[in-house]
Amino acid sequence: MVVENKLTDKEKTIKNFKDTFYNLYGVKLYIYTPLKNQSIISIKVFHDAALSALHENNPDFINIEHLSYRLKTRRFTIYVQVMCFLAVNAGHTKVDVGKFLKRHHASVIYSCTAIKDAFSTNDALILSAYSSTLKKLKNYVGSIPENNKSKSNS
């Protein structure tokens, strides 16, 4: 029981949930959470990199100060989509990215799908926006981790 005393509240809640679920349904659950010591780049950094790339590649959008601005022009929306894709792949939740942009998480899901599709179809405009945003991001934070580690709470 010494191990039980060292568990955090979150770990205790997860353990109780798993035990209850197993007792009720006979199914063993495995739950994964991000590592505690892992640091991820803030959503604002992704936003600022995408906005800077937008301003550099589309000077007529220089007056736009935030990607939450509601503009339906493709030259603008692709930078929002790139920002969503990068932030989600860095470990942010779709809900958090959506809240930051004052959009529903479904818009973030669509943005991520649109970027993945653009990679497979070699959409020049999106690939250019993605490349420009990555350059700005690398200049701002240095190297970007390729994958995020997680640990099992099972």
Side-chain angles (χ1 to χ4, degrees), residues 3-149:
V3 174
E4 293 269 336
N5 292 335
K6 292 185 177 184
L7 295 177
T8 65
D9 288 340
K10 179 175 78 170
E11 290 167 332
K12 287 178 187 174
T13 303
I14 290 171
K15 184 180 180 330
N16 290 338
F17 173 74
K18 287 173 41 180
D19 291 344
T20 302
F21 197 88
Y22 182 77
N23 291 336
L24 288 173
Y25 303 106
V27 176
K28 189 171 184 179
L29 297 177
Y30 296 91
I31 300 174
Y32 292 87
T33 58
L35 293 173
K36 291 178 185 175
N37 62 355
Q38 181 183 13
S39 61
I40 58 176
I41 301 166
S42 77
I43 296 173
K44 183 169 179 5
V45 172
F46 289 105
H47 171 270
D48 293 347
L51 188 63
S52 177
L54 171 69
H55 290 160
E56 183 177 293
N57 296 333
N58 299 282
D60 49 324
F61 292 131
I62 199 73
N63 293 328
I64 293 176
E65 297 176 357
H66 202 278
L67 294 177
S68 64
Y69 187 76
R70 301 286 180 170
L71 187 62
K72 300 294 182 191
T73 305
R74 185 167 190 258
R75 289 183 307 126
F76 173 77
T77 58
I78 60 173
Y79 287 89
V80 176
Q81 292 172 338
V82 165
M83 180 258 169
C84 291
F85 178 80
L86 290 171
V88 167
N89 284 320
H92 292 285
T93 66
K94 293 167 184 77
V95 171
D96 288 342
V97 175
K99 283 181 184 176
F100 182 85
L101 292 172
K102 298 179 177 108
R103 287 178 168 78
H104 194 270
H105 75 278
S107 298
V108 178
I109 292 169
Y110 175 79
S111 293
C112 293
T113 303
I115 297 301
K116 287 178 191 173
D117 291 347
F119 289 153
S120 64
T121 60
N122 290 323
D123 184 315
L125 194 56
I126 290 181
L127 292 176
S128 172
Y130 181 80
S131 176
S132 299
T133 303
L134 269 185
K135 285 178 188 172
K136 295 288 183 183
L137 196 56
K138 285 181 181 178
N139 288 338
Y140 190 77
V141 297
S143 65
I144 301 169
E146 286 297 318
N147 60 351
N148 292 312
K149 305 285 184 205

